[in-house]
């Protein structure tokens, strides 16, 4: 367990993932009924952008910083869709010691009094930082546990509404197959839940196999709504730093596909290398 998200916080992949996350959470919050977010690999919640790790890679400058700089040129339609994300991230960057909000901080900002959050984090120091960063938020529970064990234990939530975010570090060679196995168990227990799985795109073959396996899982569980959304800032090259990533979305809000089709071309334009960046959205 060597992965530290502090090196990558606020990069193009975080921007993409967190913009989509805010769209899903904002949709869930439209109805008054309580819902729950289960974050299987939660991280620290906030990341110091002036810290040694963030300074070392500078990835956030090509991600969230660029997005904020480009704000004025965004169409009104895209502005409206990314407004919940920027309303959380921009003030954090404007602090005296700039920070980037991770998924727990984003959830804490968007969930209401009646909603609940469970954050699983296996790294003891990271879990302790997350607890500290969330303060006394009575809606939130931080559990130092393997995220996939947490998934098995906390699904289905009593509210029977909500989102599971699966965002592992992909240190293990078999991460794709572990996700498929544990997602299969989760959707069997809670087929109406929404799930969002992040993954890196380093080569095409493994991703195609992953989609096929997820498709089989959804068919077996009788789930008809599966979507994949990909975003790359450059050509995919396994020998170069990560340039592409994707999300598998199970039971996403019905508006999400159209929203992603509006947001993604603009993200490609702002964060991508012209002529090399791109996006792809398809049903699974
Ligand atoms: C990509 S980061 C999470 C980022 C976070 N979801 C966000 O969007 O801000 C992955 C996190 O998973 C943690 N982790 C690694 N192995 C884990 C495991 N088996 N179970 C739970 N967490 C784990 C790492 O310590 C790291 O904080």
């Amino acid at each position: 367990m060597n992965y530290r998200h502090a090196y990558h916080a606020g990069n193009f992949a975080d921007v993409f993932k967190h913009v989509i996350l805010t769209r899903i959470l904002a949709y869930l919050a439209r109805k008054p009924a309580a819902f729950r977010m289960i974050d299987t690999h939660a991280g620290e919640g906030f990341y110091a952008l002036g810290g040694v790790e963030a300074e070392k890679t500078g990835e956030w400058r090509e991600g969230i910083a660029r997005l904020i700089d480009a704000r004025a040129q965004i169409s009104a339609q895209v502005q409206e869709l990314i407004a919940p994300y920027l309303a959380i991230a921009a003030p954090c960057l404007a602090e005296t010691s700039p920070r980037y909000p991770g998924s727990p901080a984003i959830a804490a900002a968007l969930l209401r009094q009646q909603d609940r959050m469970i954050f699983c984090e296996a790294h003891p120091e990271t879990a302790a930082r997350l607890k500290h960063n969330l303060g006394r938020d009575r809606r939130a529970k931080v559990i130092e546990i393997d995220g996939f064990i947490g998934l098995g234990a906390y699904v289905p939530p009593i509210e029977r509404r909500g989102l599971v975010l699966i965002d592992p570090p992909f240190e293990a060679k078999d991460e794709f197959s572990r996700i498929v196995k544990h997602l299969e168990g989760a959707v069997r227990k809670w087929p109406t839940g929404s799930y969002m799985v992040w993954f890196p795109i380093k080569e095409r073959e493994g991703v195609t196999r992953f989609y096929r396996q997820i498709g089989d899982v959804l068919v077996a569980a009788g789930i008809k709504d599966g979507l994949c959304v990909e975003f790359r800032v450059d050509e995919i090259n396994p020998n170069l730093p990560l340039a592409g990533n994707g999300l598998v979305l199970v039971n996403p809000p019905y508006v999400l596909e159209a929203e992603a089709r509006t947001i993604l071309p603009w993200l490609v334009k702002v964060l991508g290398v012209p002529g090399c960046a791109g996006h792809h959205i398809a049903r699974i």
Side-chain angles (χ1 to χ4, degrees):
M1 251 192 347
N2 295 317
Y3 181 88
R4 292 289 177 278
H5 196 63
Y7 288 99
H8 311 293
N11 70 0
F12 77 93
D14 261 8
V15 170
F16 164 64
K17 171 178 66 185
H18 293 150
V19 165
I20 300 293
L21 175 65
T22 57
R23 295 314 312 159
I24 298 176
L25 294 179
Y27 180 85
L28 284 166
R30 280 194 203 171
K31 280 192 194 156
F35 70 89
R36 187 169 296 234
M37 159 136 170
I38 300 168
D39 192 344
T40 59
H41 298 72
E44 293 178 27
F46 283 104
Y47 300 89
L49 295 177
V52 183
E53 297 94 340
E55 280 295 341
K56 190 165 178 188
T57 63
E59 289 183 17
W60 65 276
R61 296 181 197 280
E62 309 299 318
I64 183 61
R66 258 209 218 181
L67 185 75
I68 288 175
D69 286 348
R71 238 184 324 188
Q73 299 133 41
I74 313 172
S75 73
Q77 200 188 9
V78 176
Q79 289 230 16
E80 197 181 320
L81 292 173
I82 66 166
Y85 170 65
L86 283 181
I88 299 164
C92 293
L93 260 84
E95 289 173 13
T96 320
S97 304
R99 303 185 293 168
Y100 181 77
S103 50
I106 289 171
L110 290 177
L111 269 62
R112 306 149 308 167
Q113 273 315 310
Q114 65 268 40
D115 304 323
R116 294 292 176 267
M117 308 164 251
I118 296 189
F119 299 117
C120 305
E121 170 56 57
H123 194 277
E125 253 177 57
T126 306
R129 283 201 198 137
L130 176 57
K131 272 185 199 159
H132 172 80
N133 283 334
L134 287 171
R136 289 172 187 269
D137 191 331
R138 294 176 56 186
R139 302 166 304 167
K141 250 193 201 135
V142 176
I143 298 148
E144 194 188 309
I145 189 174
D146 176 277
F148 291 122
I149 293 178
L151 180 62
Y154 304 124
V155 159
I158 49 167
E159 296 84 359
R160 301 274 167 167
R161 292 187 73 219
L163 172 71
V164 174
L165 169 62
I166 301 176
D167 184 17
F170 280 84
E171 285 178 315
K173 280 223 154 37
D174 64 343
E175 201 74 273
F176 279 113
S177 38
R178 287 208 308 176
I179 291 172
V180 171
K181 176 178 148 205
H182 292 283
L183 186 68
E184 183 175 25
V187 296
R188 206 181 306 131
K189 288 166 71 181
W190 190 31
T192 55
S194 290
Y195 299 82
M196 169 171 162
V197 182
W198 180 88
F199 57 91
I201 304 177
K202 293 180 182 153
E203 46 81 34
R204 188 44 57 190
E205 204 180 308
V207 173
T208 305
R209 193 180 324 117
F210 180 54
Y211 289 158
R212 210 175 38 242
Q213 291 170 337
I214 295 279
D216 291 346
V217 165
L218 300 192
V219 168
I223 297 172
K224 294 196 172 61
D225 285 336
L227 193 66
C228 65
V229 184
E230 296 180 6
F231 170 50
R232 57 165 213 282
V233 288
D234 204 341
E235 302 289 0
I236 302 301
N237 182 336
N239 302 316
L240 291 178
L242 185 69
N245 69 148
L247 293 168
V248 158
L249 301 153
V250 177
N251 296 323
Y254 76 98
V255 289
L256 193 86
E257 182 176 348
E259 291 182 350
R261 288 191 188 280
T262 305
I263 297 167
L264 264 290
W266 182 81
L267 272 190
V268 166
K269 204 166 142 195
V270 173
L271 302 186
V273 174
C276 303
H279 77 284
H280 170 72
I281 298 172
R283 297 245 144 208
I284 295 183

